[in-house]
Amino acid sequence: MVYRYQEWTDGLHNFDNHVVLSLELCLFLRENLQNHVSASRVIDSLEGLRRVKFPSRDTIFHAYCHFEALTDTDYMYSCINCGFHPPVVVMDLHRKGVFKLAVSDLKAPEDFNGEHDIEGFWNSIHLEMISRGFFPSGVKNPFSVPPSYTHWAPWIGSETRTSDIVLNTEFQKVGTSSSHEAKLSSVTEDRLLDELAKQKVGVVRKLCKACSIDSKGSRFDLITRLREKMKSRQTYDKVFQSIWGASGGWSVILCPHGIVYSVKFNLRAESPRDFADLLLSWKHMPNVCVYDFARGLVAHTNLRVPDKLPFHPHEGRLAEPTEENVKAAQDGSLKVNLPWLHERMDSVNENPHPVTGSSDHYVLYDRFHEGNTKDPKDILRRIQLVPELKGWLNSQVVEQFFANMRKSNYFLSNMSPSTHVFLMRNITHHYNTVTNKKLLERQLRHGRLGKINISLSALGQAVVAPQVCNKPRETTETVLNPAPSITSGKS
Ligand SMILES: [Zn+2]
């Protein structure tokens, strides 16, 4: 009988019966990843310090992933202030979050509806990490998970999503047969051209060469030629990859406190489709989404569910797009109160948001991206029009999160796709845990409550109950507590 030692109470983690890590080393590697130090750099330092030769860096890194895969982590992805269903979210694309992937390796599926079993997918990723303890590197691992349109799920916490079936409809990015898709891809192309125009002329010239286009002339000539050639998907993908990296980046949804709720690892160039996939997989769509490509998101999402428009009223604008309203917004005299952000309203509509009681769904612009829109009616999407959000909503939390993650790109973008998504989901979980801990400490300092009990309410919000009082005090008003800076002074 073969016995495999996989106990942990002795403080050890067995990887492959040859390499055994101490739990302390595992936790040390985890902390280092949070501080943007790769496993191989940690081992370099330890080797220098101890003057002992360590096993290969890859083996130790795989052993660490093996440890994380066997650790009982809940991946809740939920903020203690907002709970499982945040009423306000900020969304953005982390363009530099990429893994090595040749688009030509992806096969368009036949007869597929875009539904993925989220638990099944992530279990298969975990199984790959665990199986590495049984298959020496260099041997083909039958459990490896290659990226594919039919088996590549995003991550959304178990309480936040509708069910274990979530959407990833990236395969539909392939064909631009329908006029709707064509329209959307042309908008995405506009954004790509905008990015292209910001590049140094040398970069554009190189790109022209790579796409076998005449690379002589001014920057304007080069971009005009590229634009013409970009009508073919092949050139489009090439330009996209060179500007935005190998795969399509991560589509991320955060609450205003900086907790990550959902992350989707795109295989192809991002489009509003990716955020629509995520939001349509949520149990309760947020009342307010902040996104720099609001118009595209609304057009796409409302076309996908035409019988029950997800973004309404006014196509997710704060007021009816009449001339008077647009003018009042330009003058600064228009104010749109959303009182239910502070106090839950009695629901009159079907399917209200459980925290606010409202069934309105708006898509607003972050003030830093207002220049993105050419449509004057979109001034009715300004955060500043809402007194409850103005000055409170710190959409920079996303920038902070991305800035933090960019520091880890040097090792994350060199990983295989499955390792990349596994580690990213794990690193983000620990990031969320640290942020939640800071939020809780901050809240307790504010309250000066002394000895208290803290528990989670049915909606996943931290509920504070002083010991003298038996009835827990619902703290839904804390939803609008200011978001703390999570950079904590580190450069
Ligand atoms: Zn929050």
Side-chain angles (χ1 to χ4, degrees), residues 13-79:
H13 180 80
N14 177 14
F15 172 51
D16 60 0
N17 285 340
H18 298 282
V19 173
V20 180
L21 307 186
S22 74
L23 285 191
E24 194 182 28
L25 178 62
C26 294
L27 296 176
F28 187 59
L29 289 169
R30 181 192 279 179
E31 291 299 325
N32 272 283
L33 288 174
Q34 286 294 308
N35 289 298
H36 325 292
V37 186
S38 68
S40 66
R41 286 191 182 176
V42 174
I43 302 305
D44 286 348
S45 304
L46 284 175
E47 221 169 55
L49 179 72
R50 299 270 186 244
R51 296 177 194 284
V52 192
K53 183 126 180 59
F54 277 61
S56 90
R57 307 296 182 261
D58 271 357
T59 308
I60 295 182
F61 175 63
H62 287 160
Y64 169 72
C65 290
H66 187 263
F67 157 78
E68 286 290 5
L70 282 172
T71 304
D72 184 16
T73 307
D74 63 17
Y75 296 100
M76 192 55 90
Y77 278 45
S78 172
C79 165

Side-chain angles (χ1 to χ4, degrees), residues 79 81-82 255-259 261 439:
C79 165
N81 281 339
C82 299
C255 79
H257 304 97
I259 300 285
Y261 271 79
L439 285 169

Side-chain angles (χ1 to χ4, degrees), residues 363-374:
V363 188
L364 307 185
Y365 278 116
D366 177 328
R367 67 193 123 166
F368 302 103
H369 296 116
E370 269 164 22
N372 290 11
T373 176
K374 286 162 197 135

